Amino acid sequence: MISGSTPNVPKHVAIIMDGNGRWAKERGLPRTVGHTKGVEAVRRAVELAGDYGIRYLTLFAFSSENWSRPEAEVADLLGLLRRFIRRDLAELHKANVRIKVIGDRENLKGDILPLLLEAEDTTRRNSGLTLIIAFNYGARDELTRATRRLAAMIEAGELASRDITEHQLASQLDTFGIPDPDLIIRTSGEERLSNFLLWQAAYAEFVFLSGYWPDFGREMFDEALRIFAGRNRRFGGLSESTAAVVG
Ligand code: FPP
């Protein structure tokens, strides 16, 4: 079993939770059952991340593109997220989990944004796992919003274009203050990033698991962490063993 004392446990794991629909279809069930089971997998992932000693866990809960799904499915996903916050917030708070939300907060209707903000506010002093919920999130949208803010600063005479640095740009992203993900997991066998954390993923390791999200638990998480631990991360430099030979 992998635990926080095992070396090479990533500090930040981000997950593209995929395959709820296929999980349900293979069982002759409506997609909504797959999403409901997906929430159970979310609970397992959060608890396991804490056990492993992972510090940051980002979950891609709802993308800016997910609005184009049938209205009933959108309502279903929003309902599940709403219920998750309502039912689990007290327990997450007790478990010292700090919740953060990334994604576009403008033009969101209804009670979902106030609920997410309440979750952030209630847990903001907690010092355990940081659970980052990507909601109404798209990486291109995030980069566009950041660029707009930098342009406004230039227009206001607060910033010169030559002073824009990587740090400046990163400071305008929704993830400012959160370390980049070390490991990005996608379930269901699909192997793409789908507009998730494009900037932050620059040096992330990718692990694609064949299992569907509703089946995610210790076995699949352990597998991803084992694969991660076996990777040789060089961040554009040389690995220690190669450097020793060259040097
Ligand atoms: C992908 O399955 C999953 C989603 C689009 C949403 C993930 C949301 C949840 C697990 C529930 C709410 C989240 C939280 C944090 C409580 P899919 O529908 O794309 O599956 P398919 O590709 O097999 O059709």
Side-chain angles (χ1 to χ4, degrees), residues 17-22 31 35 38-39 42 61 66 69 73 77 81 84 213:
M17 310 179 285
D18 198 8
N20 294 348
R22 277 163 284 167
R31 293 176 61 80
H35 293 317
V39 178
V42 165
N66 282 153
R69 292 193 177 202
E73 182 162 347
L77 285 169
L81 185 60
F84 173 74
W213 178 251

Side-chain angles (χ1 to χ4, degrees), residues 22 32 34 46 62 71 84 87 99 105-106 108 113-114 124 127 135 189 213-215 226 242:
R22 277 163 284 167
T32 169
V46 172
F62 194 90
E71 211 176 303
F84 173 74
R87 287 190 193 160
I99 297 175
R105 297 173 179 208
E106 294 279 310
L108 288 174
L113 183 63
R124 68 173 204 282
S127 56
F135 175 74
W213 178 251
D215 290 326
R226 248 195 316 272
T242 314

